[in-house]
Short mmCIF file of all heavy atoms in Angstrom, two decimals:
data_model
loop_
_atom_site.label_atom_id
_atom_site.label_comp_id
_atom_site.label_asym_id
_atom_site.label_seq_id
_atom_site.Cartn_x
_atom_site.Cartn_y
_atom_site.Cartn_z
N MET A 1 -5.67 -46.96 33.20
CA MET A 1 -4.58 -47.04 34.18
C MET A 1 -3.39 -46.19 33.73
O MET A 1 -2.78 -45.49 34.51
CB MET A 1 -4.24 -48.52 34.42
CG MET A 1 -2.83 -48.95 34.05
SD MET A 1 -1.62 -48.51 35.31
CE MET A 1 -0.11 -48.95 34.47
N LEU A 4 -4.10 -42.63 34.53
CA LEU A 4 -3.98 -42.42 35.97
C LEU A 4 -2.53 -42.22 36.36
O LEU A 4 -2.19 -41.28 37.08
CB LEU A 4 -4.49 -43.66 36.72
CG LEU A 4 -5.91 -43.63 37.29
CD1 LEU A 4 -6.20 -44.94 37.98
CD2 LEU A 4 -6.10 -42.46 38.24
N TYR A 8 -0.59 -38.89 37.84
CA TYR A 8 -0.17 -38.82 39.24
C TYR A 8 1.28 -39.18 39.46
O TYR A 8 1.78 -39.11 40.56
CB TYR A 8 -1.10 -39.68 40.09
CG TYR A 8 -2.49 -39.14 39.96
CD1 TYR A 8 -3.45 -39.80 39.22
CD2 TYR A 8 -2.80 -37.90 40.51
CE1 TYR A 8 -4.70 -39.26 39.05
CE2 TYR A 8 -4.04 -37.35 40.35
CZ TYR A 8 -5.00 -38.03 39.62
OH TYR A 8 -6.23 -37.48 39.45
N ASP A 14 6.47 -36.47 45.06
CA ASP A 14 6.83 -37.57 45.98
C ASP A 14 7.92 -37.10 46.94
O ASP A 14 7.83 -37.30 48.15
CB ASP A 14 7.40 -38.78 45.21
CG ASP A 14 6.36 -39.49 44.36
OD1 ASP A 14 5.22 -39.01 44.28
OD2 ASP A 14 6.72 -40.52 43.78
N TYR A 17 6.70 -34.25 49.49
CA TYR A 17 5.87 -34.76 50.60
C TYR A 17 6.69 -35.66 51.53
O TYR A 17 6.53 -35.60 52.75
CB TYR A 17 4.65 -35.50 50.06
CG TYR A 17 3.56 -34.59 49.53
CD1 TYR A 17 2.96 -34.83 48.30
CD2 TYR A 17 3.11 -33.51 50.28
CE1 TYR A 17 1.96 -34.00 47.81
CE2 TYR A 17 2.11 -32.67 49.79
CZ TYR A 17 1.53 -32.93 48.56
OH TYR A 17 0.53 -32.12 48.08
N ALA A 21 7.47 -35.15 55.74
CA ALA A 21 6.90 -36.13 56.66
C ALA A 21 7.78 -36.38 57.88
O ALA A 21 7.81 -37.49 58.41
CB ALA A 21 6.65 -37.44 55.91
N PRO A 23 9.29 -34.26 61.57
CA PRO A 23 9.25 -33.01 62.36
C PRO A 23 10.58 -32.25 62.35
O PRO A 23 10.58 -31.02 62.37
CB PRO A 23 8.88 -33.48 63.76
CG PRO A 23 9.21 -34.93 63.80
CD PRO A 23 9.05 -35.45 62.40
N ARG A 26 10.76 -30.40 59.06
CA ARG A 26 9.85 -29.24 59.05
C ARG A 26 10.42 -28.11 59.91
O ARG A 26 10.31 -26.94 59.56
CB ARG A 26 8.44 -29.65 59.52
CG ARG A 26 7.71 -30.55 58.52
CD ARG A 26 6.21 -30.60 58.79
NE ARG A 26 5.87 -31.09 60.11
CZ ARG A 26 5.73 -32.37 60.44
NH1 ARG A 26 5.90 -33.32 59.53
NH2 ARG A 26 5.42 -32.73 61.67
N MET A 30 11.39 -24.25 58.85
CA MET A 30 10.84 -23.10 59.57
C MET A 30 11.98 -22.19 60.04
O MET A 30 11.90 -20.98 59.94
CB MET A 30 10.01 -23.61 60.75
CG MET A 30 9.01 -22.63 61.33
SD MET A 30 7.87 -21.88 60.13
CE MET A 30 6.54 -23.09 60.03
N THR A 33 13.27 -19.91 57.38
CA THR A 33 12.42 -18.78 56.97
C THR A 33 12.93 -17.50 57.63
O THR A 33 12.68 -16.41 57.14
CB THR A 33 10.93 -18.96 57.37
OG1 THR A 33 10.83 -19.04 58.79
CG2 THR A 33 10.33 -20.19 56.72
N PRO A 45 19.92 -26.74 67.75
CA PRO A 45 18.75 -26.95 68.62
C PRO A 45 18.32 -28.41 68.77
O PRO A 45 17.47 -28.70 69.60
CB PRO A 45 17.62 -26.16 67.92
CG PRO A 45 18.21 -25.51 66.72
CD PRO A 45 19.55 -26.11 66.48
N ASP A 80 14.47 -22.74 49.83
CA ASP A 80 13.85 -22.51 48.53
C ASP A 80 12.43 -23.08 48.60
O ASP A 80 12.21 -24.29 48.48
CB ASP A 80 14.64 -23.19 47.40
CG ASP A 80 14.06 -22.85 46.03
OD1 ASP A 80 12.94 -22.26 45.98
OD2 ASP A 80 14.68 -23.17 45.02
N THR A 82 9.97 -22.75 46.64
CA THR A 82 9.26 -22.94 45.35
C THR A 82 8.54 -24.30 45.24
O THR A 82 7.37 -24.33 44.86
CB THR A 82 10.22 -22.73 44.17
OG1 THR A 82 11.06 -21.61 44.46
CG2 THR A 82 9.48 -22.47 42.88
N LEU A 84 7.20 -26.07 47.34
CA LEU A 84 6.03 -26.16 48.23
C LEU A 84 4.77 -25.66 47.54
O LEU A 84 3.66 -26.02 47.90
CB LEU A 84 6.26 -25.37 49.52
CG LEU A 84 7.41 -25.84 50.41
CD1 LEU A 84 7.53 -24.94 51.63
CD2 LEU A 84 7.20 -27.29 50.85
N GLN A 85 4.97 -24.81 46.53
CA GLN A 85 3.83 -24.25 45.81
C GLN A 85 3.03 -25.35 45.11
O GLN A 85 1.81 -25.37 45.17
CB GLN A 85 4.37 -23.24 44.79
CG GLN A 85 3.28 -22.43 44.13
CD GLN A 85 3.82 -21.19 43.43
OE1 GLN A 85 5.03 -21.08 43.19
NE2 GLN A 85 2.94 -20.27 43.12
N LEU A 91 -2.93 -30.00 47.17
CA LEU A 91 -3.83 -30.09 48.33
C LEU A 91 -5.07 -29.22 48.14
O LEU A 91 -6.16 -29.58 48.59
CB LEU A 91 -3.09 -29.69 49.60
CG LEU A 91 -2.23 -30.80 50.21
CD1 LEU A 91 -1.28 -30.23 51.24
CD2 LEU A 91 -3.10 -31.86 50.84
N TYR A 94 -8.44 -30.46 47.00
CA TYR A 94 -9.27 -31.21 47.96
C TYR A 94 -10.09 -30.31 48.87
O TYR A 94 -10.86 -30.79 49.68
CB TYR A 94 -8.41 -32.16 48.79
CG TYR A 94 -7.96 -33.34 47.97
CD1 TYR A 94 -6.83 -33.27 47.19
CD2 TYR A 94 -8.72 -34.50 47.94
CE1 TYR A 94 -6.44 -34.33 46.38
CE2 TYR A 94 -8.34 -35.57 47.16
CZ TYR A 94 -7.21 -35.47 46.38
OH TYR A 94 -6.83 -36.53 45.59
N PHE A 97 -13.64 -30.92 49.37
CA PHE A 97 -14.01 -32.16 50.05
C PHE A 97 -13.93 -32.03 51.54
O PHE A 97 -14.73 -32.59 52.27
CB PHE A 97 -13.18 -33.33 49.53
CG PHE A 97 -13.42 -33.55 48.07
CD1 PHE A 97 -12.54 -33.06 47.12
CD2 PHE A 97 -14.58 -34.18 47.64
CE1 PHE A 97 -12.79 -33.22 45.77
CE2 PHE A 97 -14.84 -34.33 46.30
CZ PHE A 97 -13.94 -33.85 45.35
N TRP A 98 -12.92 -31.28 52.02
CA TRP A 98 -12.90 -31.14 53.47
C TRP A 98 -13.98 -30.17 53.92
O TRP A 98 -14.58 -30.37 54.96
CB TRP A 98 -11.52 -30.86 54.05
CG TRP A 98 -10.91 -29.49 53.87
CD1 TRP A 98 -11.39 -28.32 54.37
CD2 TRP A 98 -9.67 -29.16 53.22
NE1 TRP A 98 -10.54 -27.30 54.04
CE2 TRP A 98 -9.46 -27.78 53.35
CE3 TRP A 98 -8.70 -29.92 52.56
CZ2 TRP A 98 -8.35 -27.13 52.83
CZ3 TRP A 98 -7.60 -29.27 52.05
CH2 TRP A 98 -7.43 -27.89 52.18
N ARG A 101 -17.42 -31.96 53.96
CA ARG A 101 -17.67 -32.80 55.12
C ARG A 101 -18.07 -31.96 56.33
O ARG A 101 -18.94 -32.35 57.10
CB ARG A 101 -16.43 -33.63 55.44
CG ARG A 101 -16.87 -34.87 56.12
CD ARG A 101 -15.81 -35.88 56.37
NE ARG A 101 -16.27 -36.70 57.45
CZ ARG A 101 -15.58 -36.92 58.55
NH1 ARG A 101 -14.40 -36.40 58.70
NH2 ARG A 101 -16.08 -37.68 59.50
N MET B 1 15.33 -25.90 72.06
CA MET B 1 15.14 -27.14 71.31
C MET B 1 13.82 -27.79 71.71
O MET B 1 13.08 -28.28 70.88
CB MET B 1 16.38 -28.04 71.50
CG MET B 1 16.15 -29.36 72.21
SD MET B 1 15.52 -30.64 71.09
CE MET B 1 15.11 -31.91 72.28
N LEU B 4 11.04 -26.04 69.90
CA LEU B 4 11.06 -26.44 68.49
C LEU B 4 10.35 -27.76 68.30
O LEU B 4 9.51 -27.91 67.43
CB LEU B 4 12.52 -26.61 68.02
CG LEU B 4 13.17 -25.48 67.24
CD1 LEU B 4 14.57 -25.87 66.87
CD2 LEU B 4 12.37 -25.11 66.00
N TYR B 8 6.84 -28.66 66.31
CA TYR B 8 6.85 -29.38 65.05
C TYR B 8 6.62 -30.87 65.18
O TYR B 8 6.52 -31.57 64.19
CB TYR B 8 8.15 -29.09 64.29
CG TYR B 8 8.23 -27.62 64.04
CD1 TYR B 8 9.07 -26.80 64.79
CD2 TYR B 8 7.35 -27.03 63.14
CE1 TYR B 8 9.07 -25.44 64.61
CE2 TYR B 8 7.35 -25.67 62.97
CZ TYR B 8 8.21 -24.88 63.69
OH TYR B 8 8.19 -23.54 63.51
N ASP B 14 2.99 -35.96 60.06
CA ASP B 14 3.98 -36.91 59.52
C ASP B 14 3.28 -37.97 58.68
O ASP B 14 3.70 -38.26 57.56
CB ASP B 14 4.71 -37.67 60.65
CG ASP B 14 5.63 -36.78 61.46
OD1 ASP B 14 5.66 -35.56 61.23
OD2 ASP B 14 6.31 -37.33 62.36
N TYR B 17 1.65 -36.49 55.30
CA TYR B 17 2.63 -36.20 54.25
C TYR B 17 3.26 -37.50 53.72
O TYR B 17 3.48 -37.63 52.51
CB TYR B 17 3.72 -35.24 54.75
CG TYR B 17 3.26 -33.80 54.84
CD1 TYR B 17 3.50 -33.04 55.98
CD2 TYR B 17 2.59 -33.19 53.78
CE1 TYR B 17 3.09 -31.72 56.07
CE2 TYR B 17 2.17 -31.86 53.87
CZ TYR B 17 2.43 -31.13 55.01
OH TYR B 17 2.04 -29.83 55.10
N ALA B 21 3.18 -39.09 49.71
CA ALA B 21 4.46 -39.18 48.99
C ALA B 21 4.52 -40.37 48.03
O ALA B 21 5.60 -40.92 47.80
CB ALA B 21 5.61 -39.23 50.00
N PRO B 23 2.62 -41.92 44.24
CA PRO B 23 1.64 -41.63 43.18
C PRO B 23 0.40 -42.54 43.21
O PRO B 23 -0.69 -42.09 42.88
CB PRO B 23 2.44 -41.84 41.89
CG PRO B 23 3.62 -42.65 42.28
CD PRO B 23 3.91 -42.33 43.71
N ARG B 26 -1.87 -41.18 45.91
CA ARG B 26 -2.53 -39.94 45.46
C ARG B 26 -3.62 -40.26 44.44
O ARG B 26 -4.69 -39.66 44.46
CB ARG B 26 -1.51 -38.96 44.88
CG ARG B 26 -0.58 -38.36 45.93
CD ARG B 26 0.14 -37.10 45.44
NE ARG B 26 0.94 -37.33 44.24
CZ ARG B 26 2.20 -37.75 44.23
NH1 ARG B 26 2.84 -37.99 45.37
NH2 ARG B 26 2.85 -37.92 43.10
N MET B 30 -7.68 -39.46 44.65
CA MET B 30 -8.36 -38.73 43.57
C MET B 30 -9.56 -39.54 43.10
O MET B 30 -10.64 -39.00 42.87
CB MET B 30 -7.35 -38.49 42.44
CG MET B 30 -7.72 -37.39 41.46
SD MET B 30 -8.14 -35.79 42.19
CE MET B 30 -6.53 -35.00 42.38
N THR B 33 -12.57 -39.19 45.26
CA THR B 33 -13.32 -37.92 45.23
C THR B 33 -14.56 -38.08 44.36
O THR B 33 -15.51 -37.33 44.50
CB THR B 33 -12.48 -36.74 44.65
OG1 THR B 33 -12.11 -37.04 43.30
CG2 THR B 33 -11.24 -36.47 45.47
N PRO B 45 -7.48 -50.30 38.23
CA PRO B 45 -6.67 -49.53 37.26
C PRO B 45 -5.17 -49.71 37.42
O PRO B 45 -4.41 -49.27 36.57
CB PRO B 45 -7.04 -48.06 37.54
CG PRO B 45 -8.06 -48.06 38.62
CD PRO B 45 -8.10 -49.40 39.24
N ASP B 80 -11.80 -39.36 53.38
CA ASP B 80 -11.96 -38.38 54.46
C ASP B 80 -10.86 -37.33 54.28
O ASP B 80 -9.71 -37.56 54.66
CB ASP B 80 -11.87 -39.06 55.83
CG ASP B 80 -12.17 -38.06 56.95
OD1 ASP B 80 -12.26 -36.85 56.66
OD2 ASP B 80 -12.32 -38.48 58.11
N THR B 82 -10.47 -34.52 55.67
CA THR B 82 -10.23 -33.62 56.81
C THR B 82 -8.74 -33.44 57.15
O THR B 82 -8.29 -32.31 57.33
CB THR B 82 -11.03 -34.10 58.05
OG1 THR B 82 -12.31 -34.52 57.61
CG2 THR B 82 -11.17 -33.00 59.08
N LEU B 84 -6.25 -33.41 55.36
CA LEU B 84 -5.54 -32.63 54.34
C LEU B 84 -5.59 -31.14 54.66
O LEU B 84 -4.74 -30.37 54.22
CB LEU B 84 -6.13 -32.89 52.95
CG LEU B 84 -6.03 -34.32 52.42
CD1 LEU B 84 -6.69 -34.41 51.05
CD2 LEU B 84 -4.57 -34.76 52.34
N GLN B 85 -6.61 -30.77 55.43
CA GLN B 85 -6.77 -29.36 55.78
C GLN B 85 -5.56 -28.86 56.60
O GLN B 85 -5.03 -27.78 56.33
CB GLN B 85 -8.07 -29.20 56.58
CG GLN B 85 -8.45 -27.76 56.82
CD GLN B 85 -9.89 -27.62 57.25
OE1 GLN B 85 -10.53 -28.59 57.67
NE2 GLN B 85 -10.41 -26.41 57.18
N LEU B 91 1.40 -25.72 54.84
CA LEU B 91 2.05 -25.24 53.61
C LEU B 91 1.73 -23.77 53.35
O LEU B 91 2.58 -23.04 52.82
CB LEU B 91 1.60 -26.08 52.41
CG LEU B 91 2.33 -27.41 52.26
CD1 LEU B 91 1.61 -28.32 51.29
CD2 LEU B 91 3.75 -27.16 51.78
N TYR B 94 4.04 -20.93 54.18
CA TYR B 94 5.22 -20.69 53.33
C TYR B 94 4.90 -19.87 52.09
O TYR B 94 5.79 -19.56 51.31
CB TYR B 94 5.85 -22.02 52.93
CG TYR B 94 6.59 -22.63 54.08
CD1 TYR B 94 5.93 -23.42 55.00
CD2 TYR B 94 7.93 -22.34 54.28
CE1 TYR B 94 6.58 -23.95 56.10
CE2 TYR B 94 8.59 -22.86 55.37
CZ TYR B 94 7.92 -23.65 56.27
OH TYR B 94 8.59 -24.15 57.34
N PHE B 97 6.98 -17.03 51.18
CA PHE B 97 8.37 -17.31 50.80
C PHE B 97 8.48 -17.73 49.35
O PHE B 97 9.43 -17.40 48.68
CB PHE B 97 9.00 -18.34 51.74
CG PHE B 97 9.03 -17.82 53.14
CD1 PHE B 97 8.07 -18.20 54.06
CD2 PHE B 97 9.99 -16.90 53.51
CE1 PHE B 97 8.07 -17.68 55.34
CE2 PHE B 97 10.01 -16.37 54.79
CZ PHE B 97 9.04 -16.76 55.71
N TRP B 98 7.48 -18.48 48.85
CA TRP B 98 7.60 -18.82 47.44
C TRP B 98 7.28 -17.62 46.58
O TRP B 98 7.88 -17.42 45.54
CB TRP B 98 6.86 -20.10 47.06
CG TRP B 98 5.37 -20.10 46.97
CD1 TRP B 98 4.60 -19.37 46.12
CD2 TRP B 98 4.46 -20.93 47.72
NE1 TRP B 98 3.28 -19.69 46.30
CE2 TRP B 98 3.16 -20.63 47.27
CE3 TRP B 98 4.63 -21.89 48.72
CZ2 TRP B 98 2.03 -21.26 47.79
CZ3 TRP B 98 3.52 -22.50 49.22
CH2 TRP B 98 2.23 -22.19 48.78
N ARG B 101 10.32 -15.19 46.46
CA ARG B 101 11.39 -15.58 45.55
C ARG B 101 11.04 -15.23 44.11
O ARG B 101 11.89 -14.78 43.35
CB ARG B 101 11.67 -17.07 45.69
CG ARG B 101 13.12 -17.31 45.35
CD ARG B 101 13.53 -18.71 45.44
NE ARG B 101 14.67 -18.85 44.56
CZ ARG B 101 14.81 -19.80 43.68
NH1 ARG B 101 13.89 -20.72 43.55
NH2 ARG B 101 15.88 -19.85 42.91
#
Side-chain angles (χ1 to χ4, degrees):
Chain A
M1 118 80 188
L4 261 180
Y8 299 107
D14 291 5
Y17 284 132
R26 290 197 301 274
M30 200 52 86
T33 62
D80 185 349
T82 319
L84 297 179
Q85 189 164 16
L91 279 166
Y94 286 85
F97 298 99
W98 74 63
R101 207 173 157 234
Chain B
M1 116 82 189
L4 260 181
Y8 300 104
D14 291 5
Y17 284 132
R26 290 197 302 273
M30 199 52 86
T33 61
D80 186 350
T82 320
L84 297 179
Q85 188 164 17
L91 279 166
Y94 286 86
F97 298 99
W98 73 63
R101 209 180 155 228

